[in-house]
C-alpha cells in the first residue's frame, strides 16, 4: 500500500492533537519530577487508588478505540449503517469509562479528598479530571460523526470526518495508556 | 472486497487483543504492589509500546510517511525519557 504524506482525517485535528499531547506531556513530566522529591508521600497515597477500576477503564478505552477503528473500516466499505453501529458501541464504552471514573471520584470526595489534600491528590485529581474532560469532548465529536454517518453523510470516497473524529478519540486513548501506569502502578 | 476487508480489520483485531493483554500485565504489577525502579521502567516500557501500537495501527500512522509517521513516536520517546529519568533520580536518592 502506498504511503500518504498526511495522517488520516483533517490536518487541523492533528495539530490540535499535537498541542494536546504537549500539554499532557508537561503534566506527566511535572508529576514524575515532583514525585522524585516526595517519593514516600506519592507511594503511600498511590496505594489508596482503585487499580481494578483503572483496569476496567483502560480496557473500556482500548475497546472503544478498537470499535472506532471498525467504524472507519466500515465507512471505507461504504457501509454507513455499520459505521454508525460501531460508533454507538464506541460511545457506550466511553460511557462506561465516565461511569467508573465518576464512581471513583465520588468515593474520593466522600472521604473529603480534594485538590488541596496533598501534592499527590492534586496531581491525581487534576490530571485524571483533565483527561475526563477530553473523554467527554471526544464523545461529543463521536456523537456528531455518528449522527452524520446515520444520515448517510459519509461514503467510501468522502469520510474525512469519520477519520478526524477517530484520530481525536485515539489520542484520548493514547494519553490514558501513559496516565494509567504512571499514576496507578509505577512506584 | 473480502481481501480488502481482511487487510483493514484483522491486524487491528490482533493489536486490540495484544493491548488488552499488556493492560492486564500492567494491572497485575499494580494490584500486587510490585515496586522498584526495574518494575516501574517495565510498566513504563509497556505503556510506550501500547502507545506506539495505538499510533501505528489505530491512528493509522504506519501508512504515513515523513514527520507525521513519527509524531506519536517522538512524543512517546520524549515523555518516556523524562518520566524514566525522574524515576531513576528518585531511586538514586
Amino acid at each position: 500500500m502506498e504511503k500518504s504524506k498526511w495522517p488520516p482525517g483533517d490536518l487541523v485535528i492533528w495539530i490540535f492533537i499535537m498541542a494536546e499531547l504537549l500539554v499532557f506531556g508537561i503534566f506527566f513530566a511535572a508529576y514524575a519530577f515532583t514525585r522524585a522529591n516526595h517519593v514516600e508521600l506519592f507511594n503511600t497515597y498511590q496505594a489508596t487508588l482503585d487499580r481494578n477500576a483503572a483496569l476496567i477503564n483502560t480496557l473500556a478505552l482500548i475497546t472503544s478505540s478498537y470499535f472506532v477503528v471498525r467504524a472507519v473500516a466500515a465507512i471505507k466499505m461504504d457501509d454507513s449503517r455499520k459505521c454508525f453501529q460501531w460508533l454507538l458501541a464506541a460511545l457506550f464504552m466511553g460511557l462506561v469509562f465516565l461511569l467508573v471514573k465518576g464512581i471513583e471520584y465520588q468515593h474520593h470526595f466522600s472521604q473529603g479528598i480534594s485538590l488541596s489534600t496533598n501534592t499527590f491528590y492534586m496531581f491525581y485529581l487534576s490530571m485524571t479530571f483533565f483527561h475526563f474532560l477530553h473523554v467527554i469532548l471526544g464523545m461529543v465529536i463521536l456523537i456528531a460523526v455518528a449522527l452524520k454517518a446515520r444520515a448517510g453523510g459519509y461514503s467510501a470516497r468522502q469520510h474525512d470526518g469519520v477519520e478526524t473524529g477517530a484520530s481525536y478519540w485515539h489520542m484520548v486513548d493514547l494519553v490514558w495508556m501513559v496516565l494509567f501506569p504512571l499514576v496507578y502502578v509505577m512506584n | 472486497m473480502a481481501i480488502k476487508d481482511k487487510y483493514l480489520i484483522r491486524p487491528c483485531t490482533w493489536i486490540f487483543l495484544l493491548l488488552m493483554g499488556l493492560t492486564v500485565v500492567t494491572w497485575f504489577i499494580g494490584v500486587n504492589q510490585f515496586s522498584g525502579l526495574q518494575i516501574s521502567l517495565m510498566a513504563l516500557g509497556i505503556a510506550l509500546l501500547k502507545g506506539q501500537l495505538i499510533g501505528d495501527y489505530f491512528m493509522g500512522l504506519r501508512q504515513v510517511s515523513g514527520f507525521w509517521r513519527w509524531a506519536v513516536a517522538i512524543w512517546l520517546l520524549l515523555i518516556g525519557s523524562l518520566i524514566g529519568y525522574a524515576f531513576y533520580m528518585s531511586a538514586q536518592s
Side-chain angles (χ1 to χ4, degrees):
Chain A
M1 195 180 272
E2 198 181 322
K3 290 196 172 185
S4 160
K5 195 179 170 191
W6 305 108
D10 197 320
L11 187 61
V12 174
I13 199 73
W14 281 92
I15 293 165
F16 188 53
I17 285 171
M18 293 317 288
E20 296 273 36
L21 290 179
L22 180 68
V23 174
F24 274 107
I26 290 168
F27 255 131
F28 295 161
Y31 173 95
F33 282 99
T34 306
R35 178 193 170 277
N37 294 318
H38 305 87
V39 175
E40 255 183 58
L41 176 105
F42 273 57
N43 286 348
T44 303
Y45 288 98
Q46 185 189 56
T48 66
L49 300 183
D50 186 346
R51 288 167 175 128
N52 294 328
L55 171 71
I56 294 167
N57 269 346
T58 311
L59 297 179
L61 276 189
I62 291 170
T63 307
S64 181
S65 245
Y66 173 68
F67 288 165
V68 168
V69 171
R70 298 296 299 261
V72 172
I75 200 63
K76 282 181 177 175
M77 295 291 167
D78 231 349
D79 195 338
S80 293
R81 199 170 141 264
K82 264 200 178 149
C83 175
F84 173 70
Q85 288 170 346
W86 281 116
L87 287 172
L88 273 192
L91 281 163
F92 174 75
M93 297 314 291
L95 216 55
V96 169
F97 179 93
L98 293 182
L99 187 70
V100 173
K101 199 79 209 128
I103 292 169
E104 260 189 284
Y105 284 143
Q106 195 198 13
H107 175 71
H108 294 314
F109 296 149
S110 69
Q111 290 185 322
I113 292 164
S114 68
L115 284 171
S116 54
T117 299
N118 60 44
T119 314
F120 173 79
Y121 276 118
M122 189 272 287
F123 272 107
Y124 163 74
L125 289 173
S126 54
M127 286 201 302
T128 57
F129 191 69
F130 189 53
H131 179 267
F132 187 87
L133 293 177
H134 282 75
V135 174
I136 293 172
L137 176 60
M139 287 178 70
V140 170
I141 293 170
L142 287 187
I143 288 169
V145 172
L147 290 176
K148 191 171 172 182
R150 192 176 65 161
Y154 300 111
S155 66
R157 283 169 59 92
Q158 175 50 268
H159 54 265
D160 263 14
V162 183
E163 289 187 326
T164 300
S167 298
Y168 187 82
W169 189 249
H170 295 317
M171 182 276 291
V172 172
D173 185 26
L174 170 66
V175 166
W176 183 261
M177 292 308 116
V178 179
L179 212 163
F180 163 52
L182 181 64
V183 174
Y184 287 87
V185 176
M186 293 168 65
N187 69 80
Chain B
M1 190 168 173
I3 294 168
K4 197 178 175 190
D5 192 36
K6 183 180 164 187
Y7 184 79
L8 279 171
I9 293 170
R10 195 164 284 179
C12 288
T13 304
W14 283 114
I15 297 303
F16 162 65
L17 295 172
L18 181 58
L19 288 169
M20 299 289 265
L22 289 171
T23 298
V24 172
V25 172
T26 305
W27 164 82
F28 186 78
I29 293 170
V31 86
N32 286 294
Q33 306 214 8
F34 294 140
S35 60
L37 180 62
Q38 284 88 349
I39 295 288
S40 292
L41 293 182
M42 191 174 101
L44 179 62
I46 291 171
L48 300 182
L49 173 64
K50 285 164 70 182
Q52 189 58 34
L53 290 172
I54 288 169
D56 280 356
Y57 290 88
F58 284 11
M59 294 173 131
L61 294 181
R62 74 194 173 115
Q63 303 297 346
V64 177
S65 63
F67 166 76
W68 292 106
R69 168 71 184 91
W70 303 109
V72 166
I74 292 167
W75 179 75
L76 288 168
L77 189 69
L78 276 176
I79 57 145
S81 303
L82 287 170
I83 294 168
Y85 178 66
F87 273 76
Y88 173 76
M89 259 177 40
S90 61
Q92 299 306 308
S93 57

